Amino acid sequence: MEALRDVDPAQIGAHALLARLGAGGMGQVYLARSPGGRLVAVKVIRDEITGHPEALARFRREAETVRAVRSAYTANLIDASLAAAPYWLATEYVAGPTLGRAVAERGGLPADTCRRLFAALAEGLASVHAYGVTHRDLKPQNVVLGAQGPQLIDFGIARGVGETALTQDGQAPGTPGYSAPEVLLGAEAGAAADVFALGATLAYAATGRPPFGTGVATTVSYRSVHEPVDVVGVEPGLAGLIEACVAKDPAVRPSLREVIERCGVRDALIDDPVYLGLGALGEAVPVHEMRTQGPGSVPGYTPTQVAAGRGRMPRTGVWVAVGVALAVVGAVAVWKLPLGGRGDQQGRSPAAQSPAGQSPDGQVPAVRTPAAGEGGPGASASKPPAGPPTYIRQTEPNFDDYDPIHRTCTRIGAGDGMADFQTSVPRTMDDPQLRSGRVRIAFRVKNAVPDAPPYYVAVVVKPQHEVDENGRSTAVTDNRQLGFVAKAQDLYEGDEVEWKSLTYPDDFSMRLNGKTVKAPPLSQDPGGWTVVFRHAVSDTEHTTLVCDGFDSGPQKG
């Protein structure tokens, strides 16, 4: 997601623009807000190709395809302008990273997660095929990892039964490495071609590598036709299913129903902790960054008049500040938190909640969420807030746990709300901080929130092994101690958009059996360390908002 540029209009049709989502061969895609407040993705065809009959036909085909296909795995069409320039269409906005971006940042996914994703995408393709439509350009960049499951996007070259094929510059439709051999050799792209693309997409998800290598388009296409797919290191059963889907002969590829059956999925994809973790890579919506001017002479564009909010930074200033912060503090994640209040149960998003108040791994939550009247909005006059916390204390087992291989936590996410909470944690031993043994951990709220009530955040750092009263690591690897804690800070104190930072081990300690235990050096317990940001109502009432972590180096062997 990028800030709007001076050349961008303030409004397209009735939709006020918020940010740039991306660009492609056909045009620019914007994040926008409808008159009623709904977030939409608006795709606008580029001016320089509006006179190209084939480009216009493709664009109109995409609009008609999205209009016709009503599936849980596709974004619905909201609005469109197809009669005269500027040509655009608006669909539901699906928050979340693309599969391509998620794998590029996190690496290949575990086999179980891949099977769940495989089955979900196969079901999505089957629902599209039921409308007589083949996607014809399935690839990791056209899969959005939404909170309720994956979404298929970009139907620019999709084709219905009986329609003629549209290509660009005489090339075969699709993307090299994901286009089926028969399509590359000039045959029609049928349902089996989508199965091939599905297999290639999952090969990328499982390995983190392009399924048929890299290079110029002709080289990659040649490998797709003549060479096997890259599934080196993939669990054998999953590798076999991928290889079946990318068989050179379309007649021997499995049907989508067979793919789903072979995945053997018994639980929901959105309950998969790795999938949940990928959602953290999504970008926060710039809710305060609509601008008041844009090119007024462009036909079909209507300038938006938006009152300036009190205490808000100018659009350019906000994005520049974020860019500077990224350069200063390293890897930054953005989470949604409630405005001056509490998150939902366990501080997770509604999609991440589990039945009966359990965490995703089925364990009892480490600490309870304060009830109404214990601080925050709606506090009862009969029971005043517990007061500002100092150092939070352990009351129950802490089940937050960071997996350094997949870079995910067993508990992750934050409650819905209006404030954008940003955190900064180094990732791997390649980071100079980790090599030095002193780790800077920072957090802030992205946009200024005037007159917000106090919201205390405590940072916890937990090693893999439990420690004794002398701070030495024990043999207990299933660490359920709270961890080493830094003093809680008010998120909204002072200039809240400034980073509040702490340094491990200097600012951290643990209270254990009546003794204060100083935080040990990272070298004492090489491997994955868990970093938890907790909303603290008092020293004994605190709940997990965000779980993250880092890898301090090779584990002792």
Side-chain angles (χ1 to χ4, degrees):
M1 192 179 296
E2 299 178 1
L4 295 172
R5 302 176 185 175
D6 291 338
V7 296
D8 294 323
Q11 188 159 327
I12 294 177
H15 309 289
L17 301 191
L18 301 177
R20 286 182 164 218
L21 289 176
M26 293 287 288
Q28 180 69 45
V29 183
Y30 296 100
L31 175 66
R33 182 179 289 112
S34 73
R38 186 174 188 175
L39 291 177
V40 296
V42 179
K43 179 183 285 190
V44 184
I45 194 168
R46 296 206 318 265
D47 289 341
E48 57 267 34
I49 63 173
T50 56
H52 195 297
E54 186 173 284
L56 287 178
R58 289 184 63 197
F59 192 71
R60 289 186 175 119
R61 170 174 288 176
E62 178 174 11
E64 292 307 315
T65 299
V66 176
R67 191 193 307 274
V69 175
R70 311 292 290 184
S71 167
Y73 296 92
T74 60
N76 290 327
L77 185 71
I78 303 297
D79 196 3
S81 176
L82 305 174
Y87 302 96
W88 55 268
L89 62 87
T91 64
E92 292 176 307
Y93 171 66
V94 181
T98 66
L99 177 61
R101 178 188 166 203
V103 173
E105 294 193 16
R106 292 288 177 90
L109 307 179
D112 285 347
T113 302
C114 284
R115 283 191 177 87
R116 295 183 181 103
L117 184 60
F118 219 146
L121 288 175
E123 187 174 59
L125 281 175
S127 69
V128 171
H129 290 178
Y131 285 88
V133 172
T134 51
H135 189 287
R136 303 208 314 160
D137 197 21
L138 178 64
K139 56 186 175 182
Q141 292 77 15
N142 284 344
V143 175
V144 176
L145 305 180
Q148 300 301 319
Q151 295 273 303
L152 302 173
I153 63 171
D154 199 348
F155 285 82
I157 59 174
R159 188 168 65 84
V161 174
E163 293 180 343
T164 57
L166 293 175
T167 63
Q168 284 185 306
D169 302 324
Q171 298 177 3
T175 301
Y178 299 92
S179 291
E182 66 272 18
V183 176
L184 295 171
L185 295 174
E188 293 293 333
D194 278 353
V195 173
F196 181 96
L198 175 63
T201 296
L202 265 294
Y204 173 78
T207 66
R209 302 183 297 270
F212 292 96
T214 59
V216 298
T218 53
T219 299
V220 175
S221 295
Y222 178 87
R223 296 194 195 109
S224 299
V225 175
H226 299 287
E227 297 181 5
V229 67
D230 176 9
V231 287
V232 175
V234 178
E235 185 269 326
L238 177 61
L241 179 54
I242 291 172
E243 289 171 331
C245 289
V246 299
K248 308 304 181 186
D249 182 357
V252 301
R253 293 174 201 152
S255 67
L256 293 170
R257 177 178 293 181
E258 290 172 321
V259 170
I260 295 171
E261 291 175 351
R262 289 181 61 173
C263 287
V265 171
R266 294 294 179 268
D267 45 18
L269 175 62
I270 60 171
D271 290 332
D272 186 298
V274 174
Y275 185 84
L276 287 175
L278 298 177
L281 298 173
E283 299 176 275
V285 175
V287 293
H288 301 300
E289 290 158 26
M290 288 188 296
R291 58 188 175 80
T292 58
Q293 71 280 345
S297 60
V298 179
Y301 293 142
T302 304
T304 303
Q305 300 298 324
V306 182
R310 180 168 61 94
R312 305 297 181 197
M313 294 177 64
R315 176 176 63 88
T316 302
V318 170
W319 287 96
V320 170
V322 172
V324 171
L326 285 169
V328 172
V329 300
V332 175
V334 182
W335 316 80
K336 301 300 287 183
L337 291 184
L339 177 59
R342 298 181 299 274
D344 62 282
Q345 191 173 16
Q346 308 343 311
R348 298 193 306 278
S349 64
Q353 291 185 35
S354 300
Q358 293 182 340
S359 62
D361 58 3
Q363 303 291 343
V364 177
V367 290
R368 67 186 181 87
T369 302
E374 298 180 332
S380 169
S382 62
K383 185 173 183 180
T390 51
Y391 287 89
I392 63 174
R393 295 186 282 119
Q394 180 154 5
T395 57
E396 297 182 41
N398 177 13
F399 294 105
D400 295 311
D401 190 34
Y402 178 73
D403 178 354
I405 297 177
H406 300 118
R407 299 183 184 179
T408 59
C409 278
T410 55
R411 257 153 122 209
I412 193 162
D416 288 339
M418 300 169 63
D420 294 331
F421 184 55
Q422 288 186 310
T423 63
S424 173
V425 178
R427 289 295 184 192
T428 67
M429 274 301 293
D430 293 334
D431 191 295
Q433 294 185 63
L434 293 177
R435 291 200 299 269
S436 72
R438 298 180 75 250
V439 179
R440 185 185 182 198
I441 301 168
F443 63 91
R444 73 167 186 172
V445 60
K446 178 181 174 183
N447 296 311
V449 183
D451 305 321
Y455 190 97
Y456 293 98
V457 176
V459 180
V460 177
V461 176
K462 187 178 79 168
Q464 298 178 104
H465 296 77
E466 291 190 359
V467 299
D468 60 22
E469 295 175 3
N470 298 311
R472 293 190 296 262
S473 298
T474 69
V476 180
T477 57
D478 187 24
N479 187 354
R480 294 296 178 253
Q481 290 176 331
L482 175 61
F484 297 93
V485 179
K487 187 175 180 179
Q489 300 182 58
D490 181 5
L491 179 64
Y492 300 116
E493 183 178 11
D495 185 355
E496 61 262 47
V497 301
E498 293 293 327
W499 288 93
K500 294 174 173 61
S501 62
L502 303 155
T503 301
Y504 183 91
D506 303 8
D507 299 323
F508 291 79
S509 62
M510 179 192 297
R511 194 71 178 166
L512 186 61
N513 297 331
K515 292 182 61 176
T516 298
V517 181
K518 293 182 62 176
L522 299 180
S523 57
Q524 176 174 297
D525 197 357
W529 288 63
T530 303
V531 178
V532 182
F533 297 81
R534 291 203 166 194
H535 172 214
V537 175
S538 70
D539 292 1
T540 56
E541 297 172 1
H542 41 92
T543 187
T544 296
L545 296 171
V546 172
C547 178
D548 207 333
F550 57 82
D551 187 353
S552 67
Q555 299 185 22
K556 295 177 180 179

